[in-house]
Amino acid sequence: MQIKYLDLQTQYQSLKPEIDNAIQQVINHTAFTLGKAVDEFEKAFASYCQVKCCAGVNSGTNALLLALKALDVGPDDEVITAANTFIATVAAIVHSGAKPVLVDIDPISRNIDPLLLSIAISRKTKVIIPVHLYGRIADMDPIVKIAEKYNISILEDAAQAHGAEYKGKRAGSMGRMAAFSFYPGKNLGAYGEGGAVVTSDSKLDQKVRMLRDHGSAKKYYHDIVGYNARMEGIQGAVLGVKLKYLDKWNQERNRVTKSYNKFLEGLPIRLPEINNDYYQVFHLYVIETDQRDELQNYLKNEGITTLIHYPIPNHLQKALDYLGYKEGDFPVTEKLAKEILSLPIYPELTEEQIKYIADKIRNFFE
Ligand SMILES: Cc1ncc(COP(=O)(O)O)c(C=O)c1O
């Protein structure tokens, strides 16, 4: 059996008439950037995230950047985020002109460690970006407390957490703003690039809308210098169709997780923690083992593709050399980078496939 890390084809086939029709409508109306399909998706997604406003943009990275710009982040500021995140979170901070300040993660939640976060606050800290990594929301209660104490804004990086919940609250509803990515492989994925900024502050929403459209609210009147970061009509249409299925797909991801946890029980690997404070949406299913590289190779030879999120921590990336971090600065992130392995996960993964993967992992350890 060959098992790909991700299969987007099965899902497309199951929705083909609906998706094809939605795309054709955009073409019929030649509404290629923004337009009706994007408007409708924005309204539906804001409501889904339990916030008032949503602005569709052209990537998750730009969603983060535009949110930081809307919060007036610039060269004199520091923005804190988790050491273990995709480089896009850090890149958006760099592009805003601010200095990224990294904080190590908690080994169980694998999200930013609130205690270390409180130590990293300085007089220059303007924004905290908690990243809801792998589909699990960061421990928001202490993070919100710290932000309130020092009057710092929270921008959630919810790129991996569409529909995740923390104590009944949806991803995107707990910060002053939140950024989502609709990269095709995400829990809610476009048919191309896409992202969104959500907030309940209509002034911030207005500013993001201007920033995404060359700094203008009225055509050819440019009050601020902006970007071209508008969402495409086709992406709005596809996302509008797919949003209706997101809850079902997230439930399926939970089914996959439960089955993996059951089939992998008793092996010398660490499985993702299930914690009742969280509704996790398992964008990724990540195990930990000190024989990671050997296991990954073994599975590859058995026809199973796995990935590592992320093999080289941001603070050891060449691009971020100038920040002056060195090996040993973030021991939890560094240890994880050597031990984590992401197994295939998507809503359509069958019990037979999960059992097959788990059996191969068992064979490896035996
Ligand atoms: C945590 C995180 N932040 C930001 C991004 C950037 O999103 P995009 O690829 O849509 O620019 C991603 C996804 O790639 C991500 O996983």
Side-chain angles (χ1 to χ4, degrees), residues 52-296:
K52 291 195 184 126
C53 318
C54 166
V57 295
N58 60 353
S59 72
T61 309
N62 279 340
L64 286 162
L65 174 61
L66 268 51
L68 289 170
K69 298 295 277 185
L71 291 167
D72 289 324
V73 170
D76 291 332
D77 302 319
E78 291 180 358
V79 175
I80 299 178
T81 194
N84 189 32
T85 181
F86 183 52
I87 194 161
T89 321
V90 187
I93 300 170
V94 173
H95 288 309
S96 77
K99 181 185 170 198
V101 173
L102 302 178
V103 166
D104 212 353
I105 53 166
D106 170 84
I108 306 296
S109 71
R110 293 128 155 199
N111 278 324
I112 196 164
D113 183 327
L115 193 67
L116 298 175
L117 165 66
S118 64
I119 298 166
I121 303 280
S122 82
R123 254 184 283 139
K124 291 186 166 185
T125 310
K126 189 145 184 179
V127 175
I128 299 166
I129 307 184
V131 183
H132 307 324
L133 206 69
Y134 307 153
R136 173 177 169 140
I137 293 191
D139 190 5
M140 291 304 288
D141 278 353
I143 296 171
V144 168
K145 246 192 209 144
I146 294 164
E148 280 172 356
K149 181 170 170 193
Y150 297 103
N151 199 18
I152 296 167
S153 296
I154 294 176
L155 164 60
E156 296 171 63
D157 182 338
Q160 301 190 4
H162 318 71
E165 289 177 16
Y166 173 80
K167 302 182 181 176
K169 290 181 209 141
R170 277 261 160 94
S173 69
M174 288 164 278
R176 210 170 157 207
M177 307 183 87
F180 286 87
S181 161
F182 303 121
Y183 182 73
K186 295 291 196 263
N187 289 33
L188 181 62
Y191 279 15
E193 305 287 345
V197 181
V198 306
T199 179
S200 284
D201 183 327
S202 54
K203 282 212 178 88
L204 289 174
D205 176 63
Q206 266 313 312
K207 194 145 175 216
V208 170
R209 284 168 184 276
M210 288 173 75
L211 284 164
R212 76 176 173 182
D213 198 10
H214 301 291
S216 69
K218 188 174 161 194
K219 207 168 174 67
Y220 301 128
Y221 289 78
H222 306 277
D223 295 348
I224 50 177
V225 176
Y227 301 83
N228 176 356
R230 298 170 298 233
M231 178 178 272
E232 292 184 347
I234 285 177
Q235 306 315 333
V238 169
L239 291 165
V241 170
K242 291 181 72 175
L243 180 59
K244 293 181 280 180
Y245 300 92
L246 179 58
D247 283 341
K248 192 182 100 191
W249 290 333
N250 283 339
Q251 282 163 19
E252 288 300 318
R253 286 174 181 274
N254 272 278
R255 168 191 60 81
V256 172
T257 295
K258 277 203 192 98
S259 298
Y260 267 135
N261 280 1
K262 184 177 77 191
F263 295 139
L264 294 172
E265 212 188 318
L267 293 177
I269 50 181
R270 177 115 63 92
L271 306 175
E273 190 211 36
I274 308 286
N275 178 323
N276 289 336
D277 278 347
Y278 301 81
Y279 177 62
Q280 301 184 64
V281 294
F282 293 98
H283 173 56
L284 305 177
Y285 181 86
V286 179
I287 61 169
E288 293 165 40
T289 162
D290 55 10
Q291 297 174 68
R292 193 267 313 277
D293 292 342
E294 296 88 335
L295 176 61
Q296 184 172 38

Side-chain angles (χ1 to χ4, degrees), residues 308-346:
I308 299 165
H309 300 88
Y310 298 92
I312 303 164
N314 289 301
H315 68 286
L316 303 177
Q317 294 284 359
K318 207 166 141 194
L320 299 172
D321 253 1
Y322 77 99
L323 292 173
Y325 290 117
K326 57 184 188 317
E327 192 142 10
D329 282 347
F330 304 108
V332 182
T333 295
E334 288 170 23
K335 183 168 185 289
L336 229 62
K338 295 191 181 91
E339 300 189 347
I340 45 178
L341 188 66
S342 306
L343 302 185
I345 186 165
Y346 43 89

